[in-house]
Amino acid sequence: MSAQLSVQDGRLVATPGSYADSLTISRFAGGPWSILDPVAFFIPEHVPDPTRPAPGEELWVEVSVPRQGPPRPLRLALKKDAVLTPLDLR
């Protein structure tokens, strides 16, 4: 599904949009909505690769959503047992 993201009453809202000017989002089995478009995030070369989390963990990206253009990554976190733990990438 293609959607445009906006903020209404302090909440992030996805509305249907054309493929050319939208993000691709998906929802699996009633879970949270996910942005399927890749997000570039640069980490120092001495930091272990966070893109291969341990079993039971998920890699999450916190982003800011500008009025136009793609989301901008702020930081990475690992989610395990419903708890998000920000990664120290220094």
Side-chain angles (χ1 to χ4, degrees), residues 2-69:
S2 295
Q4 291 184 322
L5 300 179
S6 63
V7 176
Q8 296 176 5
D9 297 323
R11 297 185 61 164
L12 185 63
V13 177
T15 53
S18 69
Y19 180 77
D21 62 355
S22 300
L23 298 168
T24 305
I25 61 173
S26 182
R27 187 177 195 183
F28 299 100
W33 287 93
S34 298
I35 297 172
L36 300 179
D37 298 328
V39 176
F41 195 99
F42 299 93
I43 60 173
E45 61 187 30
H46 67 277
V47 173
D49 184 359
T51 63
R52 298 174 191 219
E57 293 181 335
E58 297 175 349
L59 181 64
W60 284 60
V61 179
E62 180 180 359
V63 300
S64 65
V65 181
R67 290 189 187 272
Q68 292 184 336

